Amino acid sequence: ETGVTQSPTHLIKTRGQQVTLRCSSQSGHNTVSWYQQALGQGPQFIFQYYREEENGRGNFPPRFSGLQFPNYSSELNVNALELDDSALYLCASSFKGGTGVAGELFFGEGSRLTVL
Amino acid sequence: SQQGEEDPQALSIQEGENATMNCSYKTSINNLQWYRQNSGRGLVHLILIRSNEREKHSGRLRVTLDTSKKSSSLLITASRAADTASYFCATQGGSEKLVFGKGTKLTVNP
C-alpha cells in the first residue's frame, strides 16, 4: 500500500453534472498529480499541484480544475460532465525538493467515474 | 498524447519463464519509470532509471535504457503467477508530468 487514499472508489453521474474527487497524500509528500485512465489506455496527465498552486497541466479543458490544501490533500473537480469523462481517475503523491522534478510517484487505487 | 509505446501489447508465458517488455519513446527524457497495475487498480512504481544510466536491477527486475535508440526494456526473471498484471513505461522530461504508454498486459500461467 502506498498511503495515498482516494474517495469515492466508484460513482455514477449523468451528463452535465459536476463531480468532486478527493485524495489524501502520503505522509511527507508535498506534490499531488492527477491522471485520467480510459479503459485499455495508459494514464494521461491532468495536472499537478505543488505548494497549493497548479504546477503543470496536461491537455485537458478548463472544466477540469483542482485544489491542494495546506495538509497536501487535493480535490479534482470536473464540471459539465461528458460521456467521454468516464474513466479511472488516479491521484499520485510525491516529494519535490527545490527545482528538481518529483520523480517516483505513489498512486492511490483510483476513483472510477461512469457518466451516463 | 502518449509518448511511450510498449511492445508487445500482450504477453502470455508459463511460470518460471522470463518476460521481456519493450518501450520506445520520442523525445529527450530526464528519467524513465516502469509501473505495474493489477486489473483496474492503482499503479505501483517498480523502478526508475535516469537518462545517464544504462542498466538497473531490483530483485527479479532488470531495466535497460538506450537513449540513442530512445528505448527501454523491462525483464522479469523467473516469473510467477502473481506477476500477472499490466506494465507501463512512463517518461519524465523537464516538466513534472509523466507520459505513459498504453502498457503490456502480462499473463503468467501456473
Side-chain angles (χ1 to χ4, degrees):
Chain A
E1 282 198 12
T2 62
V4 179
T5 58
Q6 292 188 242
S7 63
T9 55
H10 295 82
L11 68 166
I12 300 173
K13 293 283 188 178
T14 56
R15 201 168 42 179
Q17 285 189 314
Q18 179 264 345
V19 69
T20 297
L21 308 178
R22 294 179 176 82
C23 172
S24 293
S25 301
Q26 181 166 311
S27 177
H29 287 178
N30 58 10
T31 303
V32 175
S33 304
W34 285 91
Y35 287 80
Q36 179 197 66
Q37 186 178 22
L39 204 60
Q41 301 294 314
Q44 298 263 350
F45 177 74
I46 303 175
F47 43 54
Q48 182 186 81
Y49 279 82
Y50 170 61
R51 292 184 175 176
E52 301 177 52
E53 292 193 359
E54 191 178 286
N55 181 45
R57 187 179 184 94
N59 190 25
F60 281 81
R63 58 190 186 82
F64 285 78
S65 63
L67 284 172
Q68 186 184 30
F69 300 101
N71 65 355
Y72 303 120
S73 65
S74 177
E75 285 183 357
L76 165 65
N77 298 291
V78 187
N79 293 324
L81 284 167
E82 300 176 359
L83 298 179
D84 284 350
D85 295 334
S86 294
L88 181 68
Y89 287 85
L90 295 161
C91 166
S93 76
S94 54
F95 179 78
K96 177 177 160 64
T99 57
V101 295
E104 175 185 352
L105 301 186
F106 294 80
F107 283 85
E109 293 293 328
S111 294
R112 184 164 296 283
L113 171 66
T114 302
V115 182
L116 302 176
Chain B
S1 64
Q2 316 216 235
Q3 149 133 278
E5 290 287 339
E6 288 91 343
D7 170 57
Q9 291 186 338
L11 179 61
S12 182
I13 59 174
Q14 296 300 123
E15 224 170 10
E17 294 180 338
N18 295 341
T20 299
M21 288 159 266
N22 302 297
C23 169
S24 60
Y25 58 93
K26 297 173 186 171
T27 61
S28 62
I29 62 172
N30 180 290
N31 64 69
L32 184 144
Q33 304 178 35
W34 285 90
Y35 286 83
R36 163 199 168 121
Q37 185 178 38
N38 287 357
S39 181
R41 303 194 65 185
L43 281 80
V44 175
H45 181 269
L46 296 175
I47 200 163
L48 180 154
I49 186 165
R50 302 191 188 284
S51 60
N52 61 353
E53 296 175 314
R54 292 296 167 258
E55 188 170 314
K56 216 164 177 183
H57 296 254
S58 177
R60 293 185 294 114
L61 306 181
R62 173 180 168 250
V63 167
T64 62
L65 178 64
D66 187 335
T67 52
S68 66
K69 295 181 179 177
K70 292 188 169 58
S71 67
S72 173
S73 68
L74 170 67
L75 168 67
I76 304 174
T77 59
S79 63
R80 306 166 182 167
D83 294 329
T84 295
S86 291
Y87 292 82
F88 294 90
C89 72
T91 55
Q92 190 169 45
S95 70
E96 291 298 327
K97 70 175 182 180
L98 284 181
V99 181
F100 286 84
K102 292 185 179 181
T104 292
K105 189 169 184 178
L106 173 66
T107 302
V108 181
N109 301 300

